Amino acid sequence: MEKVTIISIAGGSASGKTTFAQTLSDKIFENHSVSHLSMDNYYKDFSNLSFEERQSLNFDHPNSLDIDLICQHLDDLKNFKSIKVPIYNFTTHSQSGEYKIIEPSEVIILDGILALQIEEVRKRSNIKIFIRTDDDIRFIRRLLRDVGDRGRKLEDVVHQYLTTVRPMYKFFVEPSIEHADIIVPYYEGNTIAMDLVAAKINTLLSKNIKTS
């Protein structure tokens, strides 16, 4: 049985984790099967709370995530079992009740702001990457995304950023950079970093196949 390699990608909100993960997946897809998971889909279900109460929750704290389910899914994928990933609704701040099936593959790419901060996730990761993006760029990208794609009000996005997103980044996300194997300075068009990381990962994967 081939070895499954888990690549965890962390970084601040709107740092480019998902874009980097998708690009990386494309660059290693030719030689290896790849599946991509986002920790954003593993928020706990707070549908028992009112919408106003859900809006005030701290979604950047580890307690907001179903860590047990994330770890179970990573373990299942390592054992070549398919998983049912919950689909989170960012407009209502709750689980949608729908799922998507992820089949096992040689490479699992997991991205999330806390991917390197949570020990249980970190110890299951073979390659750990941190995306470093300037704070002002991350805030602008988050503002455009949340207002344009997730139906949020501008003042609500700013309030959430100042009260939870920014403090949690300083307390949880930024310190997790010490656990990274690779630190990527991310900006639009930084294809050199992506190519270098992809080449290194392809080399490691080739070695894994030969020694497995």
Side-chain angles (χ1 to χ4, degrees), residues 2-212:
E2 295 178 342
K3 180 180 179 180
V4 176
T5 298
I6 294 179
I7 303 170
S8 289
I9 303 176
S13 176
S15 60
K17 298 181 300 299
T18 300
T19 300
F20 189 88
Q22 291 171 342
T23 304
L24 184 62
S25 176
D26 292 339
K27 290 181 178 294
I28 63 179
F29 182 78
E30 292 182 2
N31 300 317
H32 308 279
S33 58
V34 183
S35 296
H36 177 208
L37 301 179
S38 174
M39 289 176 66
D40 286 352
N41 281 315
Y42 289 88
Y43 284 118
K44 295 176 181 176
D45 185 24
F46 297 103
S47 57
N48 59 308
L49 303 177
S50 68
F51 180 73
E52 290 73 20
E53 289 174 319
R54 295 198 297 273
Q55 277 188 305
S56 65
L57 291 172
N58 184 353
F59 289 98
D60 292 77
H61 193 284
N63 289 342
S64 67
L65 292 166
D66 190 340
I67 298 172
D68 289 340
L69 183 59
I70 296 172
C71 292
Q72 181 60 58
H73 280 181
L74 291 177
D75 290 342
D76 286 343
L77 289 170
K78 276 210 165 187
N79 289 314
F80 280 87
K81 298 178 182 178
S82 61
I83 60 173
K84 290 174 60 178
V85 177
I87 298 176
Y88 191 76
N89 188 320
F90 291 96
T91 302
T92 63
H93 301 286
S94 61
Q95 287 292 344
S96 67
E98 300 178 354
Y99 298 85
K100 60 181 177 182
I101 303 297
I102 298 295
E103 300 294 342
S105 58
E106 297 171 77
V107 181
I108 307 299
I109 299 179
L110 173 73
D111 79 73
I113 62 171
L114 299 169
L116 301 188
Q117 198 281 332
I118 299 172
E119 183 180 4
E120 295 92 332
V121 174
R122 192 171 66 241
K123 69 183 183 181
R124 288 170 166 80
S125 306
N126 304 105
I127 301 171
K128 299 177 287 295
I129 300 173
F130 189 96
I131 308 297
R132 175 182 278 163
T133 307
D134 289 344
D135 292 352
D136 56 346
I137 298 299
R138 293 192 300 102
F139 172 70
I140 292 169
R141 292 174 65 175
R142 181 185 175 96
L143 183 64
L144 293 173
R145 180 196 68 192
D146 285 3
V147 173
D149 299 338
R150 298 180 178 178
R152 309 278 175 81
K153 296 180 179 179
L154 186 148
E155 56 269 27
D156 292 337
V157 177
V158 173
H159 176 74
Q160 184 182 32
Y161 181 83
L162 293 176
T163 57
T164 61
V165 176
R166 188 175 185 276
M168 294 300 98
Y169 175 79
K170 297 297 182 182
F171 192 81
F172 286 116
V173 182
E174 191 172 46
S176 72
I177 197 171
E178 69 180 47
H179 301 296
D181 301 312
I182 304 169
I183 300 171
V184 178
Y186 186 80
Y187 50 88
E188 298 296 338
N190 186 8
T191 57
I192 294 176
M194 293 184 185
D195 289 342
L196 289 172
V197 172
K200 181 61 176 178
I201 290 173
N202 272 315
T203 299
L204 293 173
L205 292 174
S206 297
K207 290 181 179 180
N208 287 341
I209 291 174
K210 290 178 181 178
T211 58
S212 60

